[in-house]
Amino acid sequence: KQEVTQIPAALSVPEGENLVLNCSFTDSAIYNLQWFRQDPGKGLTSLLLIQSSQREQTSGRLNASLDKSSGRSTLYIAASQPGDSATYLCATGGKGAQKLVFGQGTRLTINP
Amino acid sequence: ETGVTQSPTHLIKTRGQQVTLRCSSQSGHNTVSWYQQALGQGPQFIFQYYREEENGRGNFPPRFSGLQFPNYSSELNVNALELDDSALYLCASSFSALNNSPLHFGNGTRLTVT
């Protein structure tokens, strides 16, 4: 059974800093890994999707990496802004139905 | 392009009652998935519907059931509500049931069971 863990549960940094969010998973037989953003009381917004054959994906100030063999993924946020404050969730996808397994999320606060 | 819409946004029910939550998928999407997100936790997969058929189910009891309609909108029904069913219920749609098809989430329905 796949288990996804995100550490830390909460992170607070000053504006302008570069930061890394961590995600680990127990079963390396994944089809893909996704990073989502969730604002309070809202749904999820997909940020980046990495296929199992890929090592990283980039979108603007965001870069996500995937190391299947070690069961780890990181989300790198460059030059953080107060608008980046949100909960960030990673999720693994297996073959077949789109049955994503989510971590508990990291609540990120960027202080002006 | 209309995104995923869910109704109602908030709902309060009493233990033992039944509830129906609704989801309209994004235009052009034929697949709908439902997730339950308890406070402070990540979402958990309930089930997925593809072309009106259940196409995968998570570890939820049979009192959680669903439907998908010919226009690809969907309902989640929960019978015999329990206090632990209190959560944010998220619907997501995609243009195919394949795993490389991105999911688009709605804003969810917040269910409180008292």
Side-chain angles (χ1 to χ4, degrees), chain B residues 8-75:
Chain B
T9 55
H10 295 83
L11 200 53
I12 300 175
K13 289 286 189 177
T14 303
R15 190 173 49 185
Q17 286 187 317
Q18 178 267 342
V19 69
T20 297
L21 311 181
R22 295 179 175 82
C23 171
S24 293
S25 59
Q26 186 164 317
S27 177
H29 289 185
N30 59 20
T31 303
V32 172
S33 303
W34 286 92
Y35 286 81
Q36 179 196 65
Q37 186 177 23
L39 199 61
Q41 303 294 316
Q44 288 196 310
F45 177 77
I46 303 175
F47 43 55
Q48 180 184 74
Y49 279 83
Y50 171 64
R51 293 187 175 181
E52 303 178 57
E53 297 286 333
E54 188 177 289
N55 185 43
R57 189 179 181 92
N59 189 27
F60 281 80
R63 59 189 186 84
F64 285 78
S65 62
L67 283 173
Q68 187 178 32
F69 301 99
N71 66 355
Y72 303 128
S73 66
S74 177
E75 286 183 355

Side-chain angles (χ1 to χ4, degrees), chain A residues 83-105:
Chain A
D84 294 331
S85 297
T87 296
Y88 290 81
L89 295 141
C90 70
T92 60
K95 289 188 177 180
Q98 293 170 315
K99 192 183 303 184
L100 297 181
V101 179
F102 284 85
Q104 292 183 312

